[in-house]
Amino acid sequence: MSNLRLDAKQATQFVEQIFNGYGFSKRNSSLIAASLIDADLRGITSHGIQRLSMYDRKIQAKYIMPDAIWRIINQTETSLLVDANQTMGQLVSIFTMNEIIEKAQSHGIAVGVVKNSNHFGAAGYYARMAAKKGLIGIAATNSNPLLVPPNAREPFLGSNPLAFAFPTKKDPFVFDAATSTVSLGKIEVLLKNNQKIPGEWAVDGNYQQQKDPQTILDDLSRDNRIGGILPLGGLREDNSNYKGLGNAMIIECLTAILAQGSISADLGNKNHDLSHFFLALDPCLFGSLDETENNLSQMLTRMRHMSHLSEEPITLPGDKEIHAYEENQVKGIAIDQRTFDELNVIANRLDVPNLRNFDAVKG
Amino acid sequence: MSNLRLDAKQATQFVEQIFNGYGFSKRNSSLIAASLIDADLRGITSHGIQRLSMYDRKIQAKYIMPDAIWRIINQTETSLLVDANQTMGQLVSIFTMNEIIEKAQSHGIAVGVVKNSNHFGAAGYYARMAAKKGLIGIAATNSNPLLVPPNAREPFLGSNPLAFAFPTKKDPFVFDAATSTVSLGKIEVLLKNNQKIPGEWAVDGNYQQQKDPQTILDDLSRDNRIGGILPLGGLREDNSNYKGLGNAMIIECLTAILAQGSISADLGNKNHDLSHFFLALDPCLFGSLDETENNLSQMLTRMRHMSHLSEEPITLPGDKEIHAYEENQVKGIAIDQRTFDELNVIANRLDVPNLRNFDAVKG
């Protein structure tokens, strides 16, 4: 597991400098850095600073354009269609979510669709933006193909994450997850930590279970594309894995199909245009925010205190992230040695002060 | 398995007569019958005519009121809040979906929330209403507690189904499923057919896997409420079962929490007020319907023809239902002996012609 920690503020500054080095404006570099380090602070290591080398490859390949200017193609009082023009997914997503939050504040509900975009990091970041304003927030994206439909030999859908945030009296309830059993980032993290896959997560090209992270990443590389990650529900129809498939297909419909962009199956080789979906909904259309927030807070409290196995507490989606956020503000964000080394290679190339120089790096 | 079949038209007439016998108007009896037999035609036996004895119990207990008149509590251009006033869930759901379809046709998107309702049958029926009009449709409900959160000893959330429908060039893409591994109806059907549970579906009060349908139904009865159905993902955190939990919690937020009704955990004993959620979204906010429908149709066709295990074809969510619908129009709807007998007891009590008299009953 990770044995290094970085001070969150210093890590944010480092990421800002990296993106500034690529040619992003100071303001945009700062937005990107804040969203990536937010994932690390919440313990979502798979979607934080460890993804920098992936962004680096995409920027070098010119799939991500540092000077891109996104534009609104069409809008109504309750909707927004945005062409990202190959900017970083984070930037156009923050823009779009802010726009539809404003629309939802005036009209109760609003929906935004983004085309020609790139990987947007952790979906929960955008859903949470709505919850901070007292709104329900939804964020989703398609992504490079990795999900193998039941009985198939190849991937077709992406990890296709969905994030949902609902305001409460304290921290919002946030559920942010790939619709596949796991995201590719989780496989990458296992590999970096020399660990095998613990559950029913992946198959080879013969639909046989696969436990080795490196083999899965090789199988899913753009030249191979056999086997991949299973839908939630795992290998067997008996365990309702078609429901996991259905969830991933809903996200594909709301992103690529609505945006008329490339579907996940076609991403990663010739096409690099991801599509995103955002929704904001005002609970006050149906009752007072105060009462609604109270009711949800009470429900979450009751769930956390349900009768359970003595050795295993009840953990709700989002609870680990809330706990990690508090802890990592103090202890610093976790980083594995391989990511640490990768980042310094990038830093050296861009003439950015090396991570080793940070005071807060602890053994 | 089922060894009887009923002609769909005659079965519809029978159900109409039953509900008319309870005191529902002819028009309302006809709406209820059409929605129940639609589920049977699509092979969703768990949510069709076999549920009549459950509705019968609820009508006799006066949880469902045949003469109830629902009313709009609040509405805007894009939203509707409806008090069902204890009518059949089907009636208020058809009303609400029709209203928000009209709103979405004018304003691009609309959302409806229903409180004080009852079991509404198969969620897909309402989502499909939107797709028939060229709109994306979403329908969801909370329900009596049956879902056991990971490591818990008792149920808290309902089966909390979500249905999603998206128009295509031919049949709409419809994904309609409980967010739990299975719905209670599936357990009831196994019991009626003397079958054991084939997958990782349920646990007892010690969070140990349970395979016997009768034991699960007894454990979940209102006097016991221990153990229950697992979230999608099954028993183990390693298989991301917290994602199945998260999906069920999203539905609880969109239904009971938005409607300020009873949460699933509190339903079935003192409280019988279910809450529903409906959404309609016009894809034309983002592009032409023709192109959008074409893109989805092409995606579904590509998925059905993916490279797959030779003995196991690729089946997409909704495919079985489309096939069953065509077949059952001709062959009649399947019904098991126990349901057949239950229905005749009800028919006799209400002085409705007995099912045995139907010409179309085949051995």
Side-chain angles (χ1 to χ4, degrees):
Chain A
M1 295 299 291
S2 311
N3 52 2
L4 294 168
R5 289 201 178 250
L6 304 176
D7 175 76
K9 276 191 190 152
Q10 289 182 290
T12 305
Q13 202 181 9
F14 174 81
V15 177
E16 276 171 8
Q17 287 174 309
I18 293 281
F19 279 88
N20 206 215
Y22 291 131
F24 287 87
S25 71
K26 280 214 185 282
R27 181 184 138 77
N28 285 346
S29 301
S30 155
L31 288 170
I32 295 166
S35 75
L36 287 175
I37 301 303
D38 183 81
D40 282 313
L41 279 168
R42 291 176 199 281
I44 313 169
T45 319
S46 55
H47 286 65
I49 202 169
Q50 83 91 11
R51 274 284 165 87
L52 220 65
S53 65
M54 183 263 281
Y55 294 117
D56 183 72
R57 283 195 306 277
K58 288 180 190 285
I59 289 165
Q60 299 222 66
K62 296 194 191 303
Y63 304 144
I64 297 173
M65 302 296 284
D67 55 354
I69 296 168
W70 57 89
R71 70 186 179 90
I72 296 173
I73 302 175
N74 189 30
Q75 65 176 318
T76 68
E77 283 182 342
T78 55
S79 71
L80 196 69
L81 175 64
V82 182
D83 183 342
N85 200 20
Q86 293 178 259
T87 186
M88 279 285 280
Q90 285 81 349
L91 297 175
V92 69
S93 299
I94 291 167
F95 168 80
T96 304
M97 199 73 205
N98 275 327
E99 291 284 316
I100 69 162
I101 284 170
E102 234 175 82
K103 287 175 189 286
Q105 284 171 328
S106 304
H107 302 283
I109 186 166
V111 59
V113 168
V114 176
K115 63 197 297 178
N116 293 322
S117 188
N118 281 289
H119 193 276
F120 73 8
Y125 193 77
Y126 315 108
R128 205 178 297 112
M129 284 169 66
K132 271 184 201 155
K133 304 283 185 178
L135 305 173
I136 298 168
I138 290 177
T141 187
N142 73 341
S143 58
N144 283 14
L146 64 73
L147 183 136
V148 181
N151 306 321
R153 294 178 181 277
E154 56 192 22
F156 194 93
L157 296 144
S159 62
N160 290 12
L162 172 75
F164 176 89
F166 201 113
T168 76
K169 279 292 160 199
K170 210 175 157 229
D171 298 294
F173 168 67
V174 181
F175 173 51
D176 173 13
T179 49
S180 49
T181 308
V182 292
S183 67
L184 200 67
K186 284 236 175 112
I187 309 275
E188 290 169 359
V189 169
L190 285 183
L191 177 66
K192 285 178 170 175
N193 291 301
N194 292 313
Q195 292 174 309
K196 293 286 169 197
I197 288 168
E200 209 171 289
W201 293 8
V203 287
D204 62 19
N206 292 315
Y207 201 71
Q208 297 301 305
Q209 205 174 338
Q210 179 54 260
K211 293 274 189 183
D212 180 54
Q214 185 65 62
T215 309
I216 293 161
L217 294 176
D218 290 345
D219 280 357
L220 279 174
S221 71
R222 65 174 84 176
D223 299 325
N224 295 326
R225 295 216 164 153
I226 52 167
I229 311 295
L230 287 164
L232 186 59
L235 278 162
R236 291 170 52 198
E237 184 180 343
D238 274 350
N239 288 330
S240 305
N241 60 4
Y242 53 90
K243 295 190 181 187
L245 176 67
N247 291 336
M249 289 175 75
I250 290 177
I251 305 305
E252 200 70 37
C253 286
L254 293 176
T255 55
I257 300 296
L258 268 190
Q260 306 191 345
S262 295
I263 59 172
S264 293
D266 296 333
L267 288 172
N269 280 319
K270 273 189 301 187
N271 305 309
H272 301 275
D273 59 315
L274 272 67
S275 304
H276 314 316
F277 175 87
F278 304 97
L279 187 143
L281 171 62
D282 189 349
C284 296
L285 292 172
F286 311 106
S288 90
L289 180 62
D290 187 58
E291 201 180 332
T292 305
E293 286 185 340
N294 261 330
N295 290 344
L296 181 54
S297 297
Q298 279 171 26
M299 180 180 104
L300 300 177
T301 301
R302 278 176 60 185
M303 288 186 77
R304 293 187 186 108
H305 292 90
M306 285 179 70
S307 170
H308 61 82
L309 297 182
S310 52
E311 68 279 20
E312 301 280 359
I314 306 275
T315 306
L316 303 181
D319 281 358
K320 282 184 184 168
E321 285 80 0
I322 293 168
H323 179 74
Y325 194 79
E326 287 164 11
E327 186 174 283
N328 292 344
Q329 297 267 21
V330 180
K331 282 197 188 173
I333 61 171
I335 182 170
D336 62 88
Q337 186 65 50
R338 192 160 148 180
T339 298
F340 187 86
D341 296 340
E342 282 171 2
L343 297 186
N344 281 341
V345 172
I346 298 171
N348 288 340
R349 173 158 38 81
L350 296 169
D351 210 14
V352 163
N354 207 289
L355 262 182
R356 277 178 227 280
N357 295 336
F358 283 174
D359 308 329
V361 176
K362 300 166 192 167
Chain B
M1 292 299 289
S2 311
N3 52 2
L4 295 167
R5 290 206 177 245
L6 304 176
D7 174 75
K9 277 191 190 152
Q10 289 184 289
T12 306
Q13 202 180 10
F14 174 81
V15 177
E16 276 171 10
Q17 288 174 311
I18 293 283
F19 279 89
N20 206 215
Y22 290 132
F24 287 88
S25 71
K26 278 213 187 285
R27 183 185 136 76
N28 284 346
S29 301
S30 157
L31 288 171
I32 294 165
S35 75
L36 287 175
I37 301 303
D38 183 81
D40 281 313
L41 279 168
R42 293 178 197 278
I44 313 168
T45 319
S46 55
H47 284 65
I49 201 169
Q50 83 93 11
R51 274 285 166 87
L52 220 64
S53 65
M54 182 263 282
Y55 293 118
D56 184 71
R57 281 197 307 278
K58 287 178 189 285
I59 289 165
Q60 300 220 69
K62 296 195 191 306
Y63 304 145
I64 297 174
M65 302 296 284
D67 56 354
I69 296 166
W70 56 89
R71 69 185 180 91
I72 296 173
I73 302 174
N74 190 29
Q75 66 177 316
T76 68
E77 285 182 341
T78 54
S79 71
L80 197 68
L81 175 64
V82 181
D83 183 343
N85 200 20
Q86 292 179 260
T87 186
M88 279 283 282
Q90 285 82 349
L91 298 174
V92 69
S93 297
I94 291 167
F95 168 79
T96 304
M97 199 74 206
N98 275 326
E99 291 284 317
I100 69 162
I101 283 171
E102 234 176 82
K103 287 175 189 286
Q105 284 171 328
S106 305
H107 302 282
I109 186 167
V111 60
V113 169
V114 177
K115 63 197 298 179
N116 293 323
S117 189
N118 280 289
H119 193 275
F120 73 9
Y125 194 78
Y126 316 108
R128 207 180 294 111
M129 286 170 65
K132 273 185 199 154
K133 304 282 186 180
L135 305 173
I136 298 168
I138 289 176
T141 187
N142 73 340
S143 58
N144 283 14
L146 63 73
L147 184 137
V148 181
N151 307 323
R153 296 177 180 274
E154 58 193 20
F156 194 93
L157 295 145
S159 62
N160 290 13
L162 172 75
F164 176 89
F166 200 114
T168 77
K169 279 293 161 198
K170 210 175 157 228
D171 299 293
F173 168 66
V174 181
F175 173 51
D176 173 13
T179 49
S180 49
T181 308
V182 292
S183 66
L184 201 66
K186 284 235 175 111
I187 309 274
E188 289 168 359
V189 169
L190 286 184
L191 177 66
K192 285 178 171 175
N193 292 301
N194 291 312
Q195 292 173 309
K196 292 286 168 197
I197 288 167
E200 208 171 291
W201 293 8
V203 286
D204 62 20
N206 291 316
Y207 202 71
Q208 298 299 306
Q209 206 173 337
Q210 178 53 260
K211 294 273 188 183
D212 179 54
Q214 185 66 62
T215 308
I216 293 161
L217 294 176
D218 289 345
D219 280 357
L220 279 173
S221 71
R222 65 174 84 176
D223 298 325
N224 294 327
R225 296 217 164 151
I226 52 166
I229 312 294
L230 287 163
L232 185 60
L235 278 162
R236 291 170 50 198
E237 184 181 344
D238 274 351
N239 288 329
S240 305
N241 60 4
Y242 53 91
K243 294 191 181 188
L245 176 67
N247 290 336
M249 290 174 74
I250 289 178
I251 305 304
E252 201 69 39
C253 286
L254 293 177
T255 56
I257 299 297
L258 268 191
Q260 306 190 343
S262 294
I263 59 173
S264 293
D266 295 332
L267 287 171
N269 280 320
K270 274 190 299 185
N271 306 309
H272 301 275
D273 59 315
L274 273 68
S275 304
H276 314 315
F277 175 88
F278 303 97
L279 187 143
L281 171 63
D282 190 348
C284 297
L285 292 171
F286 310 107
S288 90
L289 180 61
D290 188 59
E291 199 180 333
T292 305
E293 286 186 339
N294 260 331
N295 290 345
L296 180 55
S297 296
Q298 280 172 25
M299 180 179 105
L300 299 177
T301 302
R302 278 176 62 186
M303 287 185 78
R304 292 188 186 107
H305 292 90
M306 286 179 70
S307 170
H308 60 82
L309 296 183
S310 52
E311 68 279 20
E312 301 280 359
I314 306 275
T315 307
L316 303 182
D319 282 358
K320 282 183 183 169
E321 286 79 0
I322 293 168
H323 179 74
Y325 194 79
E326 287 165 11
E327 186 174 283
N328 292 344
Q329 297 267 19
V330 180
K331 282 197 188 172
I333 61 170
I335 181 170
D336 63 87
Q337 186 64 51
R338 191 161 148 180
T339 298
F340 188 85
D341 297 340
E342 282 172 1
L343 296 186
N344 281 340
V345 172
I346 298 171
N348 289 339
R349 174 159 37 84
L350 295 170
D351 209 14
V352 163
N354 205 289
L355 262 182
R356 277 178 226 282
N357 294 337
F358 283 173
D359 308 327
V361 175
K362 299 164 190 166

